Amino acid sequence: MTNSQTANDLCQKKLAIIEEIGNAILATDDVSTISYLILDLAINHTRAEKGSLMLVGGQKELYILSARGLEHKLAKSYRIKIGEGIAGTVAARGEAVLVKDIDSDPRFQNSQRDRYKTRSFISCPIIGKEELLGVLNINDKKNGQPFSEDEFSLLKVIAGQAALALKNSFLVRRFREKSAEMEELNRKLISMDLSKTDFLTRVSHELRTPLNSVKGAVYYLKKSDLAGSDVLREFHDIIESETDKLISIVDRQLDFLRLGEENRVLRKTLFSLAELLREILRSHLLKQLLERKKIALNLAPPEELPEVAGDRILVSQMFLNLFEGISYHLKRQGEISLHIVQNDLLDVVLQTGEALPERVVDDFFSSKNLFSQDKAEPSLKLYLARKAAEVNGWRVFAENRKEGFRVTVLIPKGERQKIEAALAMTMDRVIEFTSELLGVNTCSLMLSDHVTGDLVINSARGLEDEIIRNTRIKLGDRIAGWVAYEGKPLLIEDIEADPRFGQKNFDRQYNSKSLISLPLKCGGQVIGVLNLNNKKTDQPFTERDLKIATIIGERISRFIEKIQAEAGQGGDLRRTVGSLDALLNAESRYPKKDTRHADLMGKVLDQLGANEKDKELALYVAMVYDLGLMLLDKNLLEKKKKLTAAEASTLKSHPYTTLELLEGLEFSEEVRQVILHHHERYDGQGYPDGLVGERIPFLARVLAVVDAFCAMTEDRPYRKAKTVPEALREIQEGAGSLYDPRVVEALRGAVIGGDS
């Protein structure tokens, strides 16, 4: 081949890469899907066996988002600091490298590469608008030869296009996060508005009686001949007593006005305090506030601070209220500076250049001046700031120092607070996924209180807030307490007829007498209970439901264990939360949640004489195996014309994206292998790894046949459903090439033996 032809061929490949990644951006905005497509392109164009796409995470380190040819556990746990190792060095320098022989390359002679067969590799930084996004690594060329300059050139094009695709995906994800944040803020505003309405109603009712008493006493004093001192003292006592009641009621109502229901609306998360303070600095509201009195604000929070646990929206309001309350007491052209001290606690210090009168300092956060005509507004702001700190488990105090007046916010850095926040961030999502997957309207997760051991509701769906707040169950008490004490799952078809718990079903929140309650265990110890009520079908729960719920419960237990271990690793936690959000989004649109696939899997496995473990696992796998398809554009899934090569490649990534969606919950390597390989062909021509015959996992071979049969006998936008005989005939024709012949025969027996 001439140089001209080689150059032209290389140019065509580059154009094809640009087109393929462009099509991927149109087909999906999911980061995982895009990363696997990019990695597949890189591996295919370089004819490599192994590769990874790494992204920049927290603590200035790289983590592997997608990988080929690497052990799963290694890929998910591997971290490398920027500037360290091969990938870290490439990231720090921002330059792509082609190494033909690492043993003779002076740049990486001391680097360890014991996981690879060859000495050649390519590593390219992924840089978008001068921002390092990650690194693309390709290793072990299939023929054992070094990578070529042409392959290096192609990989740099792929890395460049990857930056565009990933940047676009990050923007979409950020937009969704901000939308969710705005929805939460709107929810709080609505809740606050309702609280204010209730507040006014309570005030008008509760203040009426003591006010009338005071008014009557004053009237009587005016009209009566008060000769005796005892009478005078009596009325003074009445006035004093009723006035004290008024003060007490006002204090209680003010708590209620803003924070009395905070147990219900508080949503603790782990967040970057430095980032939050920078956002507050940029806020138009704060700039207007300081401009009124020409107050200078010197705020330079460190770039790197540990993440803190709290309600982010409430904390933001707290700092704004602090700034406003402090600025009220400052002279024009005053100054407020902020600095942060890290000890056992995180001390956020707001410092002014002038001391304040001691009487002001003494009453700085009290409610004493709330009804003073000229001080009500700033006093209310400071009062609310103190209450917001208390609700988050923080402390705030004010003092005069020789350098001026100071307000200090003390923020705990303890592991317990981070674990609680991590569970708060994730368990609502887990419970929502569980409810949808199991088809129930009411679901609650109870965890053991780390002090008392009582069961308290951590997260729930379908229960009133009052029940969530007030429910505490001791071990052995009631149904959940019995399950936790015994450590055994419980299926009740009729609570009123069950001799162990026979009780009337009077609770208006339950429209069914049937329920499932099962223990959650970590390290053999019960840590909580999962309760399921109110099936959407209004039917009693069955043994089949219990089997699926038990499998889900095991995954929730492992998930809690994982969250507790990762609570201090904010970057990993945010990725877990993002994965759960994507999982919920996919699950809400997933069409295979019904029992058809699971029921047919069970019948086929019966025909094959499978063991109970395989049957139970198949029930679960059949409900989740194609979730990754929901991350692709609907137009691609329903396209009537033949798919282009780029579209087919995008579609083939869905087993990997399904596993990414389930990453937070799924711990079983067996389940992972079934999902990953259910599109392999018996003759080795399938994907993703071209496995042949018995090398394909058993349940994956069964799922391939069941999935094909169900798809053939259902309507699609591009074709009508086949009849059962037509579908059986087509599948029979694929026996030995597409499908395992034994499984095909088992399908025939299952279908002929029952209506599927």
Side-chain angles (χ1 to χ4, degrees):
M1 185 179 289
T2 65
N3 290 337
S4 176
Q5 288 174 318
T6 301
N8 184 62
D9 184 51
L10 185 61
C11 183
Q12 291 299 318
K13 287 181 179 179
K14 290 179 179 179
L15 289 174
I17 288 169
I18 294 171
E19 180 184 5
E20 195 156 355
I21 295 180
N23 288 333
I25 295 174
L26 295 175
T28 181
D29 52 38
D30 177 69
V31 174
S32 294
T33 304
I34 289 173
S35 71
Y36 276 111
L37 175 65
I38 289 166
L39 189 56
D40 280 342
L41 275 172
I43 285 177
N44 291 337
H45 280 288
T46 56
R47 297 183 291 281
E49 290 185 357
K50 296 176 182 175
S52 64
L53 191 150
M54 310 178 79
L55 292 183
V56 178
Q59 309 301 317
K60 294 184 177 179
E61 63 181 14
L62 295 166
Y63 68 94
I64 297 175
L65 177 63
S66 55
R68 290 282 193 271
L70 298 181
E71 184 187 348
H72 174 71
K73 287 184 179 179
L74 170 69
K76 289 303 174 184
S77 62
Y78 186 78
R79 302 287 184 278
I80 188 74
K81 292 282 186 184
I82 293 177
E84 298 178 3
I86 295 173
T89 301
V90 169
R93 294 175 179 172
E95 296 178 358
V97 297
L98 162 62
V99 174
K100 296 193 175 184
D101 185 349
I102 193 169
D103 293 340
S104 61
D105 193 304
R107 296 170 295 180
F108 304 106
Q109 280 184 337
N110 296 324
S111 300
Q112 297 293 320
R113 279 178 49 82
D114 52 352
R115 293 183 295 273
Y116 304 104
K117 295 186 296 185
T118 69
R119 297 191 297 273
S120 179
F121 66 88
I122 300 174
S123 188
C124 293
I126 302 172
I127 300 174
K129 292 187 177 179
E130 300 182 354
E131 177 189 2
L132 176 68
L133 304 178
V135 177
L136 180 60
N137 305 298
I138 296 298
N139 306 273
D140 288 352
K141 199 167 180 178
K142 289 180 179 179
N143 62 10
Q145 296 298 309
F147 291 102
S148 68
E149 291 291 342
D150 284 351
E151 288 163 340
F152 184 41
S153 177
L154 288 173
L155 205 64
K156 286 191 285 186
V157 172
I158 292 174
Q161 294 302 304
L164 295 174
L166 291 171
K167 195 75 174 175
N168 175 72
S169 186
F170 293 157
L171 287 173
V172 171
R173 185 170 65 184
R174 184 65 176 155
F175 172 77
R176 287 176 177 156
E177 288 172 354
K178 283 296 180 183
S179 296
E181 202 172 290
M182 291 301 294
E183 285 180 12
E184 176 69 7
L185 179 58
N186 187 52
R187 181 191 64 77
K188 288 200 168 193
L189 290 172
I190 292 171
S191 177
M192 197 185 305
D193 191 52
L194 292 173
S195 296
K196 287 179 179 177
T197 302
D198 196 10
F199 166 72
L200 293 173
T201 304
R202 290 189 182 206
V203 166
S204 63
H205 175 74
E206 293 191 31
L207 296 189
R208 187 176 293 115
T209 300
L211 281 172
N212 286 340
S213 297
V214 172
K215 186 176 180 180
V218 172
Y219 177 81
Y220 190 78
L221 282 170
K222 286 181 178 179
K223 299 296 183 182
S224 300
D225 182 14
L226 298 176
S229 60
D230 288 344
V231 176
L232 188 61
R233 276 198 299 273
E234 180 182 351
F235 278 100
H236 283 168
D237 289 345
I238 291 173
I239 293 172
E240 183 179 19
S241 173
E242 297 301 332
T243 303
D244 287 343
K245 286 183 184 178
L246 279 173
I247 292 171
S248 176
I249 289 170
V250 167
D251 280 346
R252 289 199 307 271
Q253 295 299 342
L254 278 166
D255 283 354
F256 174 82
L257 169 64
R258 178 61 180 84
L259 298 161
E261 292 277 79
E262 200 56 47
N263 282 334
R264 178 173 64 84
V265 299
L266 192 68
R267 293 291 184 270
K268 280 194 173 184
T269 62
L270 288 176
F271 62 89
S272 165
L273 183 62
E275 182 181 309
L276 176 67
L277 290 172
R278 283 192 289 271
E279 286 182 11
I280 293 172
L281 262 186
R282 293 193 295 265
S283 74
H284 184 64
L285 185 63
L286 181 60
K287 289 177 181 177
Q288 277 189 325
L289 173 69
L290 300 176
E291 180 62 26
R292 291 176 200 153
K293 295 179 73 171
K294 305 296 182 184
I295 293 173
L297 180 60
N298 299 318
L299 174 58
E303 288 294 324
E304 293 296 331
L305 283 174
E307 292 193 316
V308 298
D311 185 315
R312 195 179 192 279
I313 294 173
L314 199 58
V315 171
S316 178
Q317 293 169 343
M318 180 197 76
F319 278 111
L320 285 171
N321 283 335
L322 278 177
F323 282 124
E324 185 165 356
I326 292 170
S327 66
Y328 171 82
H329 295 283
L330 296 183
K331 298 174 183 177
R332 286 185 65 82
Q333 297 185 331
E335 180 180 306
I336 302 175
S337 62
L338 182 147
H339 65 275
I340 296 174
V341 180
Q342 296 194 56
N343 298 307
D344 293 337
L345 301 173
L346 202 62
D347 300 355
V348 181
V349 180
L350 293 173
Q351 178 78 50
T352 69
E354 57 192 84
L356 299 184
E358 287 301 324
R359 58 181 175 76
V360 174
V361 177
D362 291 342
D363 298 335
F364 202 70
F365 290 113
S366 78
S367 57
K368 186 179 294 185
N369 296 318
L370 289 176
F371 299 100
S372 169
Q373 194 167 8
D374 60 335
K375 298 179 181 177
E377 183 68 17
S379 295
L380 180 62
K381 297 289 185 184
L382 292 167
Y383 179 80
L384 294 179
R386 176 171 67 85
K387 297 300 291 184
E390 290 173 355
V391 164
N392 279 288
W394 302 358
R395 287 184 293 140
V396 59
F397 63 90
E399 60 181 336
N400 269 330
R401 314 249 311 203
K402 63 180 181 180
E403 59 268 26
F405 175 68
R406 169 180 290 189
V407 171
T408 305
V409 182
L410 301 177
I411 305 173
K413 296 194 297 183
E415 201 66 24
R416 171 56 52 185
Q417 287 84 2
K418 290 186 176 181
I419 289 174
E420 289 175 354
L423 289 173
M425 290 171 71
T426 55
M427 294 319 298
D428 280 350
R429 294 166 169 89
V430 171
I431 288 303
E432 186 174 347
F433 173 72
T434 302
S435 301
E436 287 297 323
L437 192 65
L438 298 176
V440 298
N441 288 318
T442 307
C443 178
S444 65
L445 173 73
M446 307 186 78
L447 295 178
S448 298
D449 185 286
H450 70 282
V451 176
T452 66
D454 293 347
L455 292 171
V456 296
I457 298 177
N458 174 273
S459 182
R461 183 179 184 185
L463 292 179
E464 293 178 357
D465 288 343
E466 185 178 358
I467 290 176
I468 296 173
R469 286 199 309 273
N470 298 332
T471 299
R472 294 188 75 90
I473 299 176
K474 294 187 178 299
L475 286 182
D477 288 356
R478 299 163 63 180
I479 294 173
W482 184 91
V483 168
Y485 182 77
E486 295 291 334
K488 300 175 183 177
L490 185 67
L491 164 64
I492 296 179
E493 294 186 9
D494 186 341
I495 186 66
E496 295 181 1
D498 193 294
R500 296 165 297 181
F501 309 101
Q503 60 186 56
K504 292 294 181 183
N505 183 27
F506 290 131
D507 197 322
R508 66 182 184 277
Q509 298 205 97
Y510 302 107
N511 55 29
S512 168
K513 301 176 184 179
S514 182
L515 61 91
I516 287 176
S517 185
L518 45 91
L520 303 175
K521 299 180 181 181
C522 285
Q525 298 293 316
V526 174
I527 60 167
V529 174
L530 178 67
N531 302 302
L532 305 170
N533 309 81
N534 296 347
K535 281 181 75 171
K536 292 180 179 180
T537 60
D538 291 330
Q539 297 298 311
F541 287 100
T542 64
E543 287 293 336
R544 177 183 177 279
D545 295 324
L546 179 60
K547 289 177 181 178
I548 298 174
T550 300
I551 292 173
I552 297 295
E554 290 172 358
R555 278 142 183 82
I556 292 176
S557 297
R558 290 289 190 98
F559 181 80
I560 292 172
E561 196 171 18
K562 176 183 175 184
I563 287 297
Q564 290 174 336
E566 292 181 355
Q569 303 171 30
D572 286 344
L573 182 61
R574 277 194 299 274
R575 287 193 290 277
T576 299
V577 171
S579 177
L580 287 174
D581 284 338
L583 176 61
L584 286 175
N585 181 46
E587 203 277 340
S588 66
R589 296 179 287 120
Y590 191 50
K592 300 179 182 180
K593 289 181 288 190
D594 59 26
T595 62
R596 187 179 186 221
H597 291 73
D599 289 345
L600 186 54
M601 281 277 285
K603 292 177 182 178
V604 172
L605 288 170
D606 283 338
Q607 292 284 321
L608 290 166
N611 59 47
E612 286 302 313
K613 182 191 171 206
D614 280 343
K615 291 178 186 178
E616 290 176 6
L617 215 54
L619 282 175
Y620 166 66
V621 171
M623 300 175 75
V624 299
Y625 70 96
D626 262 348
L627 276 166
L629 287 174
M630 298 301 99
L631 300 180
L632 303 178
D633 186 80
K634 186 178 179 181
N635 293 326
L636 174 61
L637 298 177
E638 298 180 354
K639 186 175 180 180
K640 296 181 179 180
K641 296 180 180 178
K642 184 179 179 181
L643 298 180
T644 65
E647 290 169 336
S649 181
T650 301
L651 190 63
K652 288 179 180 180
S653 69
H654 80 269
Y656 287 102
T657 51
T658 298
L659 294 179
E660 286 295 326
L661 288 174
L662 295 170
E663 179 62 34
L665 289 172
E666 192 48 62
F667 63 87
S668 168
E669 184 60 27
E670 186 177 357
V671 169
R672 290 182 52 81
Q673 292 301 312
V674 173
I675 292 173
L676 184 61
H677 295 297
H678 75 276
H679 280 294
E680 302 285 2
R681 289 174 43 145
Y682 201 68
D683 61 5
Q685 299 302 305
Y687 66 89
D689 293 333
L691 300 182
V692 180
E694 300 290 319
R695 292 188 62 194
I696 304 170
F698 170 60
L699 287 180
R701 282 178 272 142
V702 176
L703 182 56
V705 172
V706 170
D707 184 40
F709 176 81
C710 289
M712 290 178 190
T713 52
E714 293 170 357
D715 285 332
R716 291 288 188 266
Y718 46 85
R719 61 157 173 78
K720 290 290 184 181
K722 296 179 184 294
T723 65
V724 169
E726 288 173 339
L728 286 174
R729 188 162 50 251
E730 184 169 331
I731 287 177
Q732 182 65 54
E733 290 171 357
S737 57
L738 297 173
Y739 314 114
D740 182 340
R742 284 182 60 239
V743 179
V744 172
E745 285 304 311
L747 173 71
R748 177 174 291 278
V751 172
I752 293 175
D755 182 13
S756 294

